[in-house]
């Protein structure tokens, strides 16, 4: 059972915009920033977003992040076939001396 | 370009101790405000943070694993290591090392490819 809650799956057609949510609490998302990762099995996860809405260099601007209260969101517009992957959110949690918590992951399918 | 590479046994017996190392190239583990981290992906797919050893040698552990985990480093080899004791089948996972950034080392910009560790008799 993950501390952060993500929908297990999401889907869209090429060119569409999809949004993946990540719900937490006041001890994690509500008081700390969120990062997002793209993961293909057998590969290293890739950082897509940090500090809620900051893109590392090389991540296209069709990918964006936002946060409101205890819920963060990752939006991917202009959906492409190689966006098909698992997506995870993460945040620092202030409870129990502090630690990083993750969402359970969302499998994005490009139809 | 920063690269990380995990190394260690692919299979360990229950109750034994797992030892993994991560060799870093392209960056020094003793410089910069980085948190050299261990994470794992459990069979169900979820990611779990194990903890970090910072550039200054400070450590932070996941409370759920703290009693069984120890981090160390060999600065001459630019390596950091994980020891996880009293293994059970629930520790079967893909183990990743990564470089942590952000305020608490809670975002990870460079990852190793991961190494599968199976705990079985």
């Amino acid at each position: 059972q993950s501390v952060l809650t993500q929908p297990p799956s999401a889907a869209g057609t090429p060119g569409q915009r999809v949004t993946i949510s990540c719900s937490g609490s006041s001890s994690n998302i509500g008081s700390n920033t969120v990062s997002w990762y793209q993961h293909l099995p057998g590969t290293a996860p890739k950082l897509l977003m940090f500090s809620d809405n900051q893109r590392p260099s090389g991540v296209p601007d069709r990918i964006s992040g936002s946060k409101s209260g205890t819920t963060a969101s990752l939006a991917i517009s202009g959906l492409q076939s190689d966006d098909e992957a698992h997506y995870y959110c993460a945040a620092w949690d202030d409870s129990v001396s502090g630690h990083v918590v993750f969402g359970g992951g969302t499998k994005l399918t490009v139809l | 370009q920063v690269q990380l590479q995990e190394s260690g046994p692919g299979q360990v017996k229950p109750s034994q101790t797992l030892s993994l190392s991560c060799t870093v190239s392209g960056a020094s583990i003793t410089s910069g405000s980085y948190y050299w981290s261990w994470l794992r992906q459990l069979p169900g797919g979820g990611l779990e943070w194990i903890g970090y050893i910072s550039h200054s040698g400070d450590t932070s552990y996941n409370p759920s694993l703290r009693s069984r985990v120890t981090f160390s480093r060999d600065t001459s080899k630019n390596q950091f290591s994980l020891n996880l004791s009293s293994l059970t089948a629930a520790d079967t996972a893909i183990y990743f090392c990564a470089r942590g950034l952000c305020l608490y080392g809670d975002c990870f910009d460079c990852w190793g490819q991961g190494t599968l560790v199976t705990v079985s008799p």
Side-chain angles (χ1 to χ4, degrees):
Chain A
Q1 186 91 4
S2 300
V3 174
L4 306 180
T5 301
Q6 297 180 238
S9 63
T13 56
Q16 269 191 332
R17 182 178 189 270
V18 297
T19 301
I20 299 171
S21 63
C22 174
S23 178
S25 68
S26 58
S27 66
N28 42 66
I29 294 178
S31 52
N32 297 298
T33 61
V34 176
S35 55
W36 289 89
Y37 304 85
Q38 179 191 57
H39 188 215
L40 291 163
T43 69
K46 176 184 177 182
L47 177 66
L48 289 181
M49 202 70 54
F50 66 97
S51 297
D52 298 336
N53 56 15
Q54 300 300 301
R55 279 184 302 274
S57 61
V59 175
D61 61 6
R62 65 185 183 84
I63 297 176
S64 61
S66 63
K67 188 176 79 175
S68 178
T70 58
T71 300
S73 298
L74 181 75
I76 304 174
S77 59
L79 201 61
Q80 302 174 358
S81 58
D82 58 3
D83 293 327
E84 185 161 300
H86 289 88
Y87 293 82
Y88 295 89
C89 58
W92 184 259
D93 192 300
D94 292 327
S95 65
V96 198
S97 73
H99 57 291
V100 180
V101 293
F102 280 89
T106 299
K107 173 65 192 305
L108 174 61
T109 301
V110 180
L111 302 168
Chain B
Q1 182 184 358
V2 179
Q3 293 185 313
L4 297 91
Q5 179 66 59
E6 305 89 352
S7 59
Q11 185 166 336
V12 192
K13 292 182 175 7
S15 79
Q16 288 188 341
T17 295
L18 170 67
S19 295
L20 294 176
S21 291
C22 181
T23 301
V24 179
S25 58
S28 169
I29 64 171
T30 60
S31 62
S33 299
Y34 298 122
Y35 302 83
W36 301 98
S37 306
W38 289 98
L39 306 97
R40 64 184 184 179
Q41 184 175 33
L42 302 169
L47 287 168
E48 182 176 44
W49 178 77
I50 302 173
Y52 67 69
I53 183 165
S54 75
H55 62 97
S56 60
D58 295 332
T59 56
S60 180
Y61 300 109
N62 189 320
S64 68
L65 297 169
R66 180 177 290 127
S67 64
R68 300 194 291 130
V69 177
T70 304
F71 298 142
S72 61
R73 63 181 184 172
D74 185 335
T75 56
S76 67
K77 296 181 180 178
N78 213 36
Q79 278 182 350
F80 61 104
S81 298
L82 157 76
N83 273 13
L84 180 63
S85 64
S86 304
L87 293 172
T88 70
D91 295 308
T92 293
I94 299 172
Y95 286 76
F96 294 95
C97 57
R99 186 175 73 170
L101 306 173
C102 301
L103 183 60
Y104 300 110
D106 55 296
C107 65
F108 309 97
D109 69 331
C110 299
W111 296 64
Q113 290 293 311
T115 185
L116 175 62
V117 175
T118 302
V119 181
S120 65

